[in-house]
Amino acid sequence: MEKAILKLKHIVDKAPSILTQIGEQEMSAKPFPNKWSKKQILGHLVDSATNNHQRFVRGQFEENPEIGYDQNKWNEFGFYQEIDNQQIIHFWTIYNRQILEIITRISKENLQNQIKIGEKLYSLEFLIVDYVEHLEHHLNQVINY
């Protein structure tokens, strides 16, 4: 858990300056018509933060809350492709700083609480670690492809 927190802090400290160097045209370009642009991938990470924020908070006081989302619909109706890069980068950064504040304060007991996603239950601790890994995976797509 501590490793995931440190990794998220590092990402949130370093990634914004790298992301802001990518121009609007490159961020908006779609590799294929049915694939997300870099901007949409970053928007997906905002949506992931939004939904995981609920998991990380509600998972501490609700019994097995069910929190899932349709990532394609969220991306489409979040209109990320049409929003300025810097707005998305700024929002992503602030949201992840808030998530850091939350996850560093979750008690050890609450880390074992279960959240339902689809038909499966996952511990809050698992979801936090998975969130950071998911974030890192998609940021690598934005920065490296």
Side-chain angles (χ1 to χ4, degrees):
M1 182 64 187
E2 185 65 30
K3 191 174 179 180
I5 290 170
L6 291 173
K7 187 182 285 189
L8 181 57
K9 182 175 179 356
H10 177 77
I11 289 169
V12 172
D13 287 343
K14 301 295 180 194
S17 63
I18 297 167
L19 292 168
T20 56
Q21 294 176 19
I22 303 172
E24 187 74 34
Q25 186 173 358
E26 182 181 344
M27 285 287 279
S28 296
K30 294 180 114 190
F32 299 100
N34 62 339
K35 294 286 185 182
W36 286 344
S37 66
K38 290 180 178 189
K39 188 187 288 194
Q40 288 174 302
I41 293 170
L42 193 56
H44 167 64
L45 292 176
V46 170
D47 296 340
S48 176
T50 301
N51 283 277
N52 280 290
H53 178 201
Q54 278 201 64
R55 291 171 181 155
F56 301 159
V57 172
R58 291 175 55 196
Q60 293 180 75
F61 65 89
E62 290 182 26
E63 188 173 328
N64 301 331
E66 185 170 355
I67 306 167
Y69 73 106
D70 180 329
Q71 66 183 14
N72 290 316
K73 291 295 184 192
W74 272 69
N75 201 289
E76 178 184 355
F77 294 104
F79 305 104
Y80 296 112
Q81 187 66 12
E82 298 148 24
I83 297 173
D84 178 73
N85 283 2
Q86 300 309 311
Q87 166 67 26
I88 298 169
I89 294 166
H90 185 68
F91 186 40
W92 174 85
T93 303
I94 294 297
Y95 215 140
N96 277 283
R97 288 196 189 286
Q98 180 66 22
I99 285 175
L100 262 170
E101 293 293 332
I102 293 166
I103 65 176
T104 59
R105 291 171 171 80
I106 297 174
S107 70
K108 285 188 177 197
E109 299 79 35
N110 282 347
L111 287 172
Q112 299 316 306
N113 291 358
Q114 302 286 300
I115 291 89
K116 187 174 183 186
I117 302 172
E119 296 301 316
K120 294 186 177 181
L121 288 172
Y122 300 93
S123 73
L124 198 48
E125 182 173 17
F126 172 85
L127 291 174
I128 292 167
V129 171
D130 185 64
Y131 174 76
V132 176
E133 290 173 358
H134 174 258
L135 175 65
E136 188 173 42
H137 166 75
H138 283 303
L139 276 179
N140 283 330
Q141 286 181 314
V142 171
I143 292 168
N144 296 322
Y145 86 40

